[in-house]
Amino acid sequence: MPDSHPQASDQGGSSIPAVVPSVPGPARRIRPVELLFEPAGAEPEPERFFDLESIDDPSELLARSTQLALAFRAAAERATDFQALAAAQLADPRRFDALSAEQIADRADWTPDYARKMVEYGRSLQRRGPEE
């Protein structure tokens, strides 16, 4: 559909659109201007590991890194307990959708033997009860 707005021309004779007064009705869509360059991104911060890089005193560094190692070890043990509980629940024969050791192994990226051991460990944790 041709543009019905009047055209003006500059001194060179080329046609330029005339200014159109605001008229009530559907709004004209204005297209965004294309970017000619990529905006600069923020500089990535150097990777830090619990600010251990910034500790200069070797005694303090040893103490802090030991605390972190113990905390991670405890977290890994607790996560393993939760994996075992979940495996035992998934393998519970009372469930209509109980999974086999092979199916649990596939889901957790374990071997079937390890999955069986985790199911047994999880069952022992269930018998023990919460935090004994």
Side-chain angles (χ1 to χ4, degrees):
M1 182 165 127
D3 191 5
S4 61
H5 297 293
Q7 298 288 319
S9 61
D10 62 3
Q11 290 177 351
S14 64
S15 173
I16 57 172
V19 176
V20 179
S22 178
V23 181
R28 292 184 98 185
R29 299 191 89 186
I30 300 174
R31 293 185 8 203
V33 175
E34 291 183 36
L35 292 178
L36 301 177
F37 63 93
E38 247 341 277
E43 287 294 316
E45 288 188 26
E47 189 173 318
R48 297 179 187 266
F49 189 74
F50 294 92
D51 265 347
L52 292 178
E53 310 78 17
S54 64
I55 300 175
D56 293 327
D57 179 23
S59 295
E60 186 181 341
L61 179 60
L62 179 62
R64 180 69 179 132
S65 59
T66 302
Q67 288 173 341
L68 285 169
L70 292 173
F72 285 133
R73 199 171 298 140
E77 289 173 7
R78 188 155 184 205
T80 301
D81 289 350
F82 279 105
Q83 283 182 312
L85 285 169
Q89 291 171 358
L90 289 170
D92 188 345
R94 295 174 295 185
R95 290 175 59 113
F96 77 93
D97 60 347
L99 299 179
S100 68
E102 290 77 17
Q103 290 170 316
I104 294 171
D106 285 343
R107 287 187 179 195
D109 198 24
W110 297 334
T111 63
D113 286 339
Y114 185 74
R116 279 188 274 283
K117 289 178 183 178
M118 287 296 277
V119 168
E120 285 308 312
Y121 177 56
R123 288 180 178 154
S124 72
L125 290 174
Q126 287 174 328
R127 284 189 293 271
R128 250 193 315 179
E131 299 298 322
E132 287 184 9

